[in-house]
Amino acid sequence: MLPSASRAEETNKWTFAVTPYVLFVGMSGDLSIGRLTAPVNFGFDKVWDNLEFTAMGTVRVGYGPWALTTDVIYMGLGTSRNGLTVDMDQWMVEPTISYRVSKYFEPYAGVRYNNLSAEISGPLGHGLSGTQEWWDPVVGANLSLPLGKNFSLNVQGDIGGFGVGSDLAWQAYPYFGWQFAKWGSLQLGYRWLYMDYESDNGR
């Protein structure tokens, strides 16, 4: 993960920060439809080969120790083989409210919206399509450990779902930060996102 971040200074005034970033995405797990279960294991190379469009970033608006942060990820994938065309779109939108207890610790709570839509079409134009969406409540925290004047080791983590959407969902994101100027920073890390979700609604 290699974001180019515009991070606001911590003051008692309003702050605003925009962080576009890039995820080198991989996916692993099990996908089940009815009684059919198939393993899913795609490295970044296969995701990249079938990537049509992607956009990612966060927006943070703060006042004093309080902040509202929204993280958005969109990814569109498509492939054709043996006369079949498959398209899949995925949205993840995560608004959270946080309170900075100290410069090292910031707990937060919010929701994570997930939307998956897929379409399969054949050579004669016949096809199937469907969309599945759900909300997961999440609670977590941001931790920061300074490494000298301009560097830091950071960890963002949360847990959620609780049977509201997913049975269980969690996220872990450790990363190094480099504050190269008052108006900007660079981050490099690895992000795990786990969701255990199932539904018997529709197809």
Side-chain angles (χ1 to χ4, degrees):
M1 188 175 187
L2 183 58
S4 174
S6 176
R7 194 173 79 183
E9 296 180 1
E10 294 181 24
T11 68
N12 291 323
K13 302 178 181 179
W14 287 98
T15 58
F16 181 75
V18 177
T19 307
Y21 61 81
V22 176
L23 282 175
F24 298 93
V25 181
M27 182 183 300
S28 64
D30 292 319
L31 176 65
S32 299
I33 302 177
R35 297 182 179 180
L36 178 64
T37 298
V40 176
N41 190 1
F42 297 117
F44 168 71
D45 55 339
K46 291 186 177 180
V47 173
W48 179 260
D49 289 341
N50 298 291
L51 184 66
E52 295 179 335
F53 182 78
T54 185
M56 308 169 186
T58 63
V59 177
R60 177 186 174 101
V61 179
Y63 184 78
W66 293 94
L68 172 63
T69 303
T70 301
D71 187 2
V72 179
I73 296 177
Y74 170 77
M75 184 168 59
L77 300 172
T79 186
S80 297
R81 182 176 297 177
N82 299 326
L84 290 176
T85 300
V86 179
D87 290 293
M88 187 184 81
D89 297 300
Q90 178 177 7
W91 281 95
M92 189 185 81
V93 182
E94 183 183 294
T96 60
I97 296 177
S98 61
Y99 181 84
R100 185 170 292 279
V101 178
S102 70
K103 61 181 181 179
Y104 308 109
F105 180 60
E106 182 184 34
Y108 64 84
V111 292
R112 182 178 297 129
Y113 171 71
N114 297 278
N115 183 299
L116 295 171
S117 61
E119 181 179 1
I120 302 174
S121 57
L124 300 179
H126 301 290
L128 295 172
S129 63
T131 299
Q132 191 68 54
E133 59 182 2
W134 69 97
W135 295 84
D136 287 330
V138 296
V139 291
N142 297 306
L143 305 175
S144 181
L145 177 64
L147 301 176
K149 183 178 180 180
N150 298 319
F151 295 91
S152 62
L153 173 62
N154 309 274
V155 178
Q156 177 184 346
D158 58 54
I159 189 169
F162 310 119
V164 177
S166 301
D167 291 333
L168 176 66
W170 58 263
Q171 176 179 222
Y173 172 33
Y175 62 94
F176 288 98
W178 172 37
Q179 189 75 36
F180 60 83
K182 290 183 177 181
W183 54 268
S185 68
L186 288 174
Q187 301 166 4
L188 178 64
Y190 195 92
R191 185 176 184 179
W192 289 271
L193 182 62
Y194 172 88
M195 289 177 287
D196 180 6
Y197 175 81
E198 62 179 310
S199 172
D200 59 1
N201 181 26
R203 292 171 292 183

